[in-house]
């Protein structure tokens, strides 16, 4: 038999039909949130179409929900309508939803895996680009637009072409303090935000198999920031023990049967990728973005770039524009950039392991005087409970952080959590676009431990220099 | 969806690379539960000097005179030309809705982000990929000639320049068919519902733990 990549195995096992290179692909899991679904449900209603397979859907409000006291409800009337519209649609179409006050509520990409709703071998979609996160489980997971959300609700299928395949090998061991976030940013720094366009990325190599599921999710989450619609990691023991005994996971005999299939979900030894990129895990340093795109990134030992040294006029202009927007001088050492706010959260870095990592740095410390606000927003209600059980909330609060309710929060500032114009934030989220965290706000993407360290010093510091 | 067969229009040059979906339609406008009404907020943060929120009285807002779409000569433009990786970032279809609602029908760029590219076709917008040199040449022509316009012939897959020179472009056959006929994907897929049911039957037999 011909050697296949993981992507090919996943894709081919879901083909309903093919028409001249255009495929109808069957979808196992459909995650739904309040922002990209209302127009899709409206479309179903107008055309009197039912949902094809209710059981495949798991819905949750996350983008608009407040992270402060929820007994007060949602104060922004427009956000409120959007969240209520999701409630209504789920009731009307008979879909499982974790509403705002359910303790299982959280960011859609955190709760899917947490509930065992994300399983190896599945095709998973969501009207959200960071759906690539779920690829960490050896699944084919992709973000889709609202028309496609409606298409999947109505037909359980997605119209797709095959992507090209890219293998990203990270060989060797990561150094202490280096995380999946640093791998992701280092990769994007190397291939650019369009480097993965048209590809499905498979992450492999020793540094990757050493990662926990949380780390793999962080990495796959940011595959979209490298332009790839899907990122994935082969199934191994780490994957299987993570999915074991989750609420939606198969149990008993069904689990055993699933397990023997899941173990086949890796690229065959001689499988051919259209492209291979290699990084040396050993050489990856803590990463910090300086500009307005995730590819504008350097290590903590680096400096902001000098546009004068760039020969390509369009690249030079992007550097100049980004430095102006970010309020930074060229050739400025990253460790000299001082910070106004800290955000630990988002579907990239709000899982229990991320909070442990940050708390570990903060233990017994206080945030610097120049930090106006430091937020921790757990990825889900269950992450929050677990953290409280471990006493992490106390470490954060004693250090001067605010301990919030779960949601997207200041990752995209659709709720009340945001930066004011000119404010600078060390953020564990995934996008540093202009205005992403609030109009005029300046975002630096970092790992949770780097964000925690920056909160203590009031500027970026090398996590490796702290013990 | 409006069928797209042939279109003639003025070009508006948006000379930036990596224009992301947050810039195309800022998040505060994503709170709408409708598909329409996003056009007035297309590129909101670049187009207006003040900060925009849904429901504002647009006549009271101060426009940024430097932004290309606020310049009189591009007022009637229906073709947007821009640089590489247009539409990167989130999956929000609101970006395509806003561009379409504003009045654009075609976007020309050296490359597009995947999800945005596919969202365009679902909303009667034609994104065309041209090599960087062609895009460069078009930018120069726009700057040198006021009212620079092109004709886009989807059926024959070429663009006609004012000089009558033709440049051909690639488009996926299935997407072309849907766009030319204004077809809704769902209706088309529904015609295969028997195949979907047949697939499900054998699929769930094999993967019974998914039931
Ligand atoms: S946390 Fe941020 S990136 Fe993730 S789903 Fe929410 S808004 Fe999107």
């Amino acid at each position: 038999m011909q050697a296949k990549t993981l992507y090919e195995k996943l894709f081919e096992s879901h083909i309903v039909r093919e028409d001249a290179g255009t495929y109808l692909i069957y979808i196992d899991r459909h995650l739904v949130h309040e922002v990209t679904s209302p127009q899709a449900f409206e479309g179903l209603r107008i055309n009197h179409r039912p949902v094809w397979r209710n059981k495949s859907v798991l819905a949750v409000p996350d983008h608009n929900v407040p992270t402060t006291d929820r007994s007060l409800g949602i104060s922004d009337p427009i956000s409120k309508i959007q969240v209520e519209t999701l409630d209504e649609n789920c009731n009307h179409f008979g879909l499982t939803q974790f509403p705002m006050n359910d303790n299982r509520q959280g960011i859609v990409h955190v709760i899917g895996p947490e509930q065992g709703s994300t399983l190896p071998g599945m095709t998973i979609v969501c009207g959200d680009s960071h759906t690539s996160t779920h690829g960490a489980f050896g699944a084919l997971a992709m973000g889709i637009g609202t028309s496609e959300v409606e298409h999947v609700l109505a037909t359980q299928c997605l119209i797709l072409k095959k992507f090209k395949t890219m293998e990203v090998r990270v060989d060797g061991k990561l150094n202490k303090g280096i995380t999946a976030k640093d791998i992701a940013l280092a990769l994007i720094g190397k291939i650019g935000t369009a480097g993965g366009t048209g590809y499905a990325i498979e992450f492999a190599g020793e540094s990757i198999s050493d990662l926990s599921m949380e780390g793999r999710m962080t990495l796959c989450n940011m595959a979209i920031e490298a332009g790839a619609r899907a990122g994935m990691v082969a199934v191994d023991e780490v994957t299987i023990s993570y999915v074991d005994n989750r609420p939606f996971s198969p149990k008993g005999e069904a689990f055993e049967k699933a397990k023997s299939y899941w173990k086949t979900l890796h690229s065959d030894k001689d499988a051919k990728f259209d492209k291979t990129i290699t990084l040396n895990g050993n050489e990856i340093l803590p990463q910090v973005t300086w500009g307005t795109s995730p590819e504008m990134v350097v290590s903590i030992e680096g400096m902001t770039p000098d546009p004068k040294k760039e020969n390509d006029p369009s690249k030079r202009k992007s550097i100049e524009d980004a430095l102006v927007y970010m309020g930074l001088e060229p050739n400025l050492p990253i460790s000299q950039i001082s910070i106004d706010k800290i955000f630990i959260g988002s579907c990239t870095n709000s899982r229990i392991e991320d909070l442990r990592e940050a708390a570990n740095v903060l233990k017994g410390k206080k945030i610097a005087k120049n930090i106006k606000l430091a937020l921790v927003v757990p990825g889900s209600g269950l992450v929050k409970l677990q953290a409280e059980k471990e006493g992490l909330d106390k470490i954060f609060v004693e250090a001067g952080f605010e301990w919030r309710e779960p949601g997207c929060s200041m990752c995209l500032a659709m709720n009340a959590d945001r930066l004011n114009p000119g404010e600078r934030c060390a953020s564990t989220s995934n996008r540093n676009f202009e205005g992403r965290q609030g109009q005029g706000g300046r975002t630096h993407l970092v790992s949770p431990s780097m964000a925690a360290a920056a909160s203590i010093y009031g500027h970026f510091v090398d996590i490796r220099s702290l013990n | 969806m409006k069928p797209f067969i042939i279109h003639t229009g003025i070009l508006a040059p948006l000379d930036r690379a990596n224009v992301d979906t947050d810039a195309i339609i800022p998040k505060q406008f994503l709170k709408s539960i409708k598909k329409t009404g996003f056009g007035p907020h297309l590129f909101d943060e670049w187009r207006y000097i003040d900060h925009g929120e849904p429901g504002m009285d647009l006549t009271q807002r101060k426009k940024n005179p430097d932004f290309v779409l606020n310049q009189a000569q591009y007022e009637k433009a229906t073709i947007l030309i821009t640089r590489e990786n247009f539409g990167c970032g989130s999956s929000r279809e609101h970006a395509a809705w806003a561009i379409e609602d504003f009045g654009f029908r075609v976007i020309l760029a050296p490359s597009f982000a995947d999800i945005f590219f596919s969202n365009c076709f679902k909303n009667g917008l034609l994104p065309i990929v041209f090599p960087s040199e062609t895009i460069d040449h078009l930018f120069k022509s726009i700057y040198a000639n006021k009212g620079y316009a092109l004709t886009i012939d989807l059926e024959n897959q070429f663009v006609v320049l004012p000089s009558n020179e033709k440049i051909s472009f690639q488009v996926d056959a299935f997407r072309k068919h849907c766009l030319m006929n204004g077809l809704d994907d769902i209706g088309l897929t529904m015609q295969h519902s028997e195949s979907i049911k047949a697939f499900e039957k054998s699929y769930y037999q094999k993967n019974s733990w998914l039931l």
Side-chain angles (χ1 to χ4, degrees):
Chain A
M1 229 169 58
Q2 198 199 341
K4 286 189 174 138
T5 63
L6 171 59
Y7 170 73
E8 285 158 346
K9 290 182 185 179
L10 294 168
F11 191 91
E12 286 167 14
S13 58
H14 290 85
I15 298 174
V16 173
R17 66 189 302 278
E18 187 207 340
D19 191 358
T22 298
Y23 295 84
L24 202 56
I25 294 295
Y26 191 75
I27 301 301
D28 295 308
R29 178 68 67 224
H30 189 179
L31 302 164
V32 169
H33 67 84
E34 82 279 20
V35 179
T36 53
S37 66
Q39 296 85 355
F41 285 115
E42 192 193 2
L44 291 184
R45 288 175 199 255
I46 291 171
N47 296 297
H48 306 288
R49 287 173 176 145
V51 170
W52 183 284
R53 188 165 193 264
N54 308 33
K55 258 190 84 173
S56 69
V57 179
L58 178 61
V60 71
D62 56 3
H63 284 62
N64 272 292
V65 296
T67 57
T68 44
D69 188 358
R70 293 208 172 145
S71 60
L72 305 171
I74 305 177
S75 60
D76 175 350
I78 317 178
S79 291
K80 187 163 181 241
I81 291 178
Q82 210 167 44
V83 171
E84 285 172 357
T85 305
L86 181 65
D87 291 340
E88 232 173 77
N89 283 325
C90 290
N91 289 338
H92 178 85
F93 289 98
L95 309 174
T96 307
Q97 193 208 177
F98 297 158
M100 189 172 84
N101 290 321
D102 190 309
N103 67 11
R104 295 168 298 176
Q105 180 269 343
I107 305 171
V108 67
H109 308 308
V110 174
I111 68 157
E114 184 174 80
Q115 293 294 325
S117 178
T118 296
L119 292 173
M122 280 184 162
T123 44
I124 302 173
V125 295
C126 174
D128 190 282
S129 57
H130 292 98
T131 310
S132 57
T133 310
H134 309 264
F137 289 81
L140 177 56
M142 287 161 295
I144 57 177
T146 298
S147 296
E148 291 171 321
V149 169
E150 185 181 342
H151 190 277
V152 176
L153 286 170
T155 67
Q156 210 56 43
C157 292
L158 190 62
I159 300 171
L160 275 183
K161 312 220 116 194
K162 263 194 192 160
F163 298 129
K164 287 178 284 180
T165 54
M166 181 189 288
E167 180 187 34
V168 172
R169 292 199 63 83
V170 190
D171 294 318
K173 291 224 177 277
L174 296 177
N175 287 307
K176 203 164 157 260
I178 308 299
T179 65
K181 182 65 162 283
D182 301 301
I183 304 180
L185 289 170
L187 171 69
I188 297 164
K190 180 168 170 149
I191 68 172
T193 49
T197 304
Y199 289 92
I201 296 182
E202 180 177 346
F203 297 97
E206 189 182 358
S207 290
I208 308 300
S209 39
D210 281 353
L211 290 174
S212 64
M213 284 318 292
E214 282 86 351
R216 295 177 192 183
M217 284 188 251
T218 301
L219 190 58
C220 292
N221 173 278
M222 293 206 57
I224 183 75
E225 253 53 69
R229 220 167 147 183
M232 63 199 84
V233 176
V235 174
D236 61 10
E237 285 304 326
V238 180
T239 326
I240 291 173
S241 63
Y242 184 99
V243 298
D244 191 5
N245 218 4
R246 305 253 158 196
F248 288 71
S249 303
K251 308 272 153 25
E253 217 178 290
F255 185 77
E256 292 307 315
K257 193 172 167 205
K259 208 161 91 175
S260 55
Y261 169 60
W262 293 341
K263 286 188 171 160
T264 66
L265 296 173
H266 52 78
S267 290
D268 295 332
K269 222 169 106 253
D270 300 318
K272 289 208 174 32
F273 291 87
D274 295 305
K275 196 169 185 173
T276 296
I277 305 272
T278 38
L279 298 178
N280 187 343
N282 221 317
E283 289 169 1
I284 298 175
L285 302 180
Q287 305 283 305
V288 182
T289 64
W290 58 266
T292 52
S293 155
E295 70 187 25
M296 294 173 164
V297 65
V298 288
S299 85
I300 182 70
E301 295 177 352
M303 296 191 290
T304 55
D306 187 342
K308 287 203 202 86
K309 291 187 187 144
E310 176 58 62
N311 295 327
D312 178 334
S314 106
K315 281 194 191 138
R316 191 183 321 128
K317 182 157 180 300
S318 323
I319 296 176
E320 285 165 353
D321 288 351
L323 287 173
V324 169
Y325 181 85
M326 294 297 287
L328 296 172
E329 295 298 317
N331 303 315
L332 177 72
I334 295 297
S335 55
Q336 285 178 21
I337 300 176
S338 70
I339 309 296
D340 304 307
K341 287 187 173 169
I342 307 283
F343 174 61
I344 297 179
S346 90
C347 58
T348 312
N349 281 129
S350 64
R351 298 181 180 82
I352 190 68
E353 180 176 289
D354 302 312
L355 303 191
R356 284 182 194 138
E357 222 173 76
N360 192 27
V361 175
L362 289 168
K363 210 168 195 165
K365 304 269 174 34
K366 291 257 180 284
I367 60 173
K369 289 222 168 57
N370 59 310
I371 303 292
K372 294 188 225 161
L373 175 72
L375 281 186
V376 193
V377 183
S380 73
L382 296 180
V383 168
K384 182 170 183 249
L385 286 176
Q386 177 61 32
E388 288 169 354
K389 223 161 85 189
E390 298 177 19
L392 306 184
D393 58 322
K394 290 203 185 65
I395 298 177
F396 283 115
V397 172
E398 274 161 21
F401 273 75
E402 292 188 18
W403 180 247
R404 295 290 187 87
E405 298 296 325
C408 295
S409 178
M410 214 161 74
C411 171
L412 94 164
M414 257 183 100
N415 68 355
D417 310 336
R418 63 186 65 178
L419 298 180
N420 295 318
E423 280 180 342
R424 188 180 299 289
C425 181
S427 177
T428 66
S429 55
N430 43 53
R431 287 191 176 137
N432 51 349
F433 300 153
E434 287 187 17
R436 171 77 177 182
Q437 294 194 290
Q439 198 203 14
R442 295 161 173 164
T443 303
H444 296 271
L445 304 175
V446 286
S447 71
S449 51
M450 283 288 285
S455 76
I456 302 170
Y457 290 85
H459 59 83
F460 291 115
V461 286
D462 191 335
I463 186 67
R464 296 168 304 162
S465 68
L466 315 180
N467 42 23
Chain B
M1 195 169 87
K2 270 188 264 173
F4 188 118
I5 295 163
I6 190 160
H7 176 80
T8 301
I10 293 180
L11 274 80
L14 181 63
D15 202 347
R16 289 178 81 127
N18 295 313
V19 173
D20 60 78
T21 51
D22 284 71
I24 298 174
I25 183 86
K27 63 212 149 229
Q28 60 271 31
F29 303 106
L30 307 190
K31 292 181 184 178
S32 166
I33 55 171
K34 300 256 167 303
K35 269 190 188 182
T36 49
F38 295 102
H41 300 292
L42 175 66
F43 302 120
D44 198 276
E45 284 185 15
W46 293 340
R47 250 166 89 202
Y48 300 97
I49 290 178
D50 59 343
H51 174 72
E53 284 294 332
M56 275 169 103
D57 178 359
L58 291 167
T59 58
Q60 301 298 313
R61 295 186 64 191
K62 223 173 147 305
K63 286 192 176 170
N64 171 6
D66 297 332
F67 185 59
V68 47
L69 298 185
N70 289 334
Q71 295 166 9
Q73 55 173 320
Y74 302 122
E75 217 165 63
K76 295 207 170 68
T78 53
I79 302 174
L80 185 67
I81 175 166
T82 181
R83 302 288 182 180
E84 59 269 15
N85 202 23
F86 187 76
C88 60
S90 87
S91 66
R92 63 185 72 158
E93 199 156 320
H94 312 66
W97 297 334
I99 293 173
E100 197 269 346
D101 194 39
F102 185 85
F104 287 113
R105 301 244 38 211
V106 182
I107 312 172
L108 310 176
S111 61
F112 292 88
D114 282 339
I115 305 180
F116 176 80
F117 188 74
S118 127
N119 285 341
C120 285
F121 286 97
K122 316 229 182 280
N123 293 283
L125 268 174
L126 175 61
I128 300 179
V129 177
F130 275 137
S132 294
E133 303 76 61
T134 312
I135 295 288
D136 260 346
H137 171 76
L138 289 170
F139 266 105
K140 285 195 191 118
S141 310
I142 297 165
Y143 293 139
N145 305 282
K146 225 172 166 174
Y148 191 81
L150 296 177
T151 295
I152 317 284
D153 183 337
L154 176 58
E155 183 167 19
N156 298 304
Q157 292 183 217
F158 56 66
V159 168
V160 191
L161 307 192
S163 61
N164 268 333
E165 187 195 335
K166 289 178 185 166
I167 318 176
S168 62
F169 62 87
Q170 297 293 318
V171 56
D172 173 67
F174 175 72
R175 284 173 161 156
K176 175 178 170 182
H177 172 75
C178 292
L179 206 50
M180 285 188 62
N181 296 289
L183 290 178
D184 151 30
D185 283 356
I186 300 181
L188 286 175
T189 300
M190 286 300 224
Q191 295 173 0
H192 303 299
S193 52
E194 288 312 314
S195 316
I196 303 172
K197 285 182 194 151
F199 174 87
E200 281 183 320
K201 211 169 151 217
S202 69
Y203 182 72
Y204 287 115
Q205 243 162 34
K206 221 161 81 194
N207 305 303
S208 51
W209 64 87
L210 286 172
L211 283 170

